[in-house]
Amino acid sequence: MSDDHTHVQEFFGARAADWDSRFPDDGPAYASAVADLGLREGDRVLDAGCGTGRALTPLRAAVGATGVVVGVDLTPAMLQAAVRAGRDRDGRLLLADVAALPLRSESLDAVFAAGLIAHLPRPDENLRELARVVRPGGTLALFHPVGRAALAARQGRTITPDDLRAEPNLRPLLAGSGWRMTAYADEDTRFLALAVREG
C-alpha cells in the first residue's frame, strides 16, 4: 500500500453515509473491547482511524468527564458522519493522518484502533508513531468486531500466511515498533490484540 491516501479516502468516503447501518450490531463488541483496554477515569485516549466514531461513546464512558477523548481519521466524510450521529459530543474529532499525528509525544494513556492495521501503508513506522504519542506503560488495542476468518469470508477471500494480524506476524511487528503484546484473541465474534508501550 502506498502513502497516497486517495484510495483510502475514496473507499471510505463513498461508504460513510451508510457505514453504521451496514454494521448495526457492532456496538457491544466495541464496548467490550474498550473495557478490555483498562481505561481509568481521567485517562487520555486516542481513537486512531475513528471512522464514524463508534468507539467514542464507550471511550468517553470509560474515561469520564475529566478524561480526554480524541478521534482522528483521514476521511472527511467519515468525520462528518460521526458529527451527524452526535458522537462529536463524546470526543474531539481531528482530520489527520495516523502516520503524522498532530499530538505531543507521550501525551496519551492509550490508543484504540478499530480496523486500522489493514489500512496502514507502513505498519512498522505507523505503529511507532502511535507509540510516540503514548506514555511508557500506556496501552494499545487493535480491534475488529469480527475475527480474521469471519472477515475474510465476508469479503470473499482467504487468509494468507502474511496477514499482519496473524499472531506470529503481529507480535514481532509490535515489538519492533515500541509495543509489547499482552493479549491476543482471534475469534469469529472479534479480533483484539492488546499491547503495552515499552518504556
Side-chain angles (χ1 to χ4, degrees):
M1 190 177 289
S2 74
D3 288 326
D4 177 6
H5 300 302
T6 306
H7 66 289
V8 173
Q9 290 172 315
E10 288 174 353
F11 178 88
F12 286 106
R15 292 161 175 79
D18 68 344
W19 188 262
D20 288 351
S21 64
R22 291 177 63 204
F23 309 105
D25 302 323
D26 287 349
Y30 273 79
S32 175
V34 167
D36 287 341
L37 193 49
L39 295 168
R40 296 177 302 229
E41 182 90 17
D43 275 355
R44 299 153 299 167
V45 59
L46 170 67
D47 185 357
C50 67
T52 61
R54 292 182 292 172
L56 296 178
T57 301
L59 289 170
R60 172 55 65 198
V63 303
T66 61
V68 173
V69 178
V70 177
V72 168
D73 203 273
L74 191 62
T75 306
M78 282 294 204
L79 295 177
Q80 291 160 6
V83 171
R84 282 194 303 276
R87 295 180 182 130
D88 56 324
R89 292 188 296 266
D90 293 314
R92 181 172 177 204
L93 298 174
L94 297 176
L95 179 64
D97 186 350
V98 297
L101 291 164
L103 301 169
R104 291 189 325 271
S105 296
E106 300 184 9
S107 61
L108 301 173
D109 298 293
V111 173
F112 184 85
L116 178 70
I117 193 163
H119 301 288
L120 296 177
R122 299 180 182 183
D124 53 345
E125 292 177 23
N126 303 147
L127 289 167
R128 198 171 299 119
E129 173 65 358
L130 294 179
R132 179 188 67 79
V133 300
V134 175
R135 64 169 174 77
T139 51
L140 168 70
L142 299 175
F143 166 74
H144 198 282
V146 296
R148 293 186 311 127
L151 182 61
R154 179 191 291 174
Q155 296 172 341
R157 60 178 178 80
T158 57
I159 298 175
T160 59
D162 62 344
D163 183 344
L164 287 180
R165 292 160 295 187
E167 185 173 8
N169 300 331
L170 187 57
R171 187 177 294 277
L173 175 64
L174 287 166
S177 305
W179 300 97
R180 177 176 50 83
M181 187 187 291
T182 57
Y184 182 90
D186 182 14
E187 306 152 356
D188 282 348
T189 54
R190 75 169 179 170
F191 173 88
L192 182 65
L194 299 173
V196 171
R197 170 74 166 91
E198 298 278 47

